Amino acid sequence: MSTLSIRPATEQDIDLILHFVRELAIYEKAEDEAKATPEHVRRTLFCEHPAVFGLICEVDGKAVGFAVYFFNYSTWQGQHGLYLEDLYITPDARGHGAGKALLQQLAQIAIDKNCGRFEWSCLDWNTPSLKFYDSLGALPQTEWIRYRMTGDALQALASGQKTVS
């Protein structure tokens, strides 16, 4: 029987985290968008006062996945929430409880930190993950549209310049 364990990510895991990020980006058909470097990860996850945190999932001492999360805030609830930025399990380790164990650990962190919510996003074409989340009792949020600004649009807004639609 395999031993599954979850531990906080450490600075020694930077290359491992980036490996999983690249695998996730390939799976999500967005490999060219994964631009994080070891220095990015070091300065964000392993700085003196990090605002983002990581977990490593291991089976029999071998890393098979990771999760990266941070805390947000709901003015309506007057409570923090836990937001799961990424969760990835290597293909050969899927279906054996590693993903569920990571989600359970994150749910426990949310409870321990008195969070009112535990949220994440999933690509609409990722049917295996959508079915998995549904099986856990997670509810898709269809009434909100997620927006994103990057690059030139972000720079233009920050500087007060007019943006072209």
Side-chain angles (χ1 to χ4, degrees), residues 9-143:
T10 68
E11 196 166 352
Q12 290 71 39
D13 294 316
I14 289 174
D15 289 339
L16 176 64
I17 291 167
L18 288 171
H19 170 77
F20 286 143
V21 166
R22 280 187 208 92
E23 282 191 12
L24 175 60
I26 290 167
Y27 176 77
E28 292 184 350
K29 302 171 179 64
E31 183 178 8
D32 59 321
E33 295 177 40
K35 301 192 184 307
T37 67
E39 186 51 36
H40 289 131
V41 175
R42 183 174 291 105
R43 135 176 124 234
T44 54
L45 267 76
F46 305 110
C47 59
E48 187 174 349
H49 300 288
V52 62
F53 309 91
L55 298 174
I56 302 295
C57 182
E58 298 175 334
V59 174
D60 295 333
K62 178 185 178 207
V64 298
F66 84 121
V68 172
Y69 66 97
F70 59 89
F71 297 98
N72 55 19
Y73 186 75
S74 168
T75 55
W76 290 14
Q77 289 185 320
Q79 289 178 279
H80 285 102
L82 188 149
Y83 189 86
L84 172 60
E85 178 62 25
D86 282 326
L87 184 148
Y88 179 77
I89 302 296
T90 58
D92 59 335
R94 293 179 191 157
H96 301 288
K100 184 175 181 181
L102 271 170
L103 288 171
Q104 286 174 317
Q105 181 72 28
L106 290 161
Q108 189 60 57
I109 292 168
I111 296 295
D112 292 347
K113 298 287 188 182
N114 195 32
C115 293
R117 296 177 178 162
F118 173 22
E119 299 176 303
W120 60 91
S121 297
C122 184
L123 291 167
D124 60 2
W125 56 259
N126 190 346
T127 305
S129 292
L130 293 170
K131 287 181 179 179
F132 172 59
Y133 299 142
D134 288 344
S135 77
L136 297 175
L139 301 173
Q141 301 297 293
T142 58
E143 68 271 18

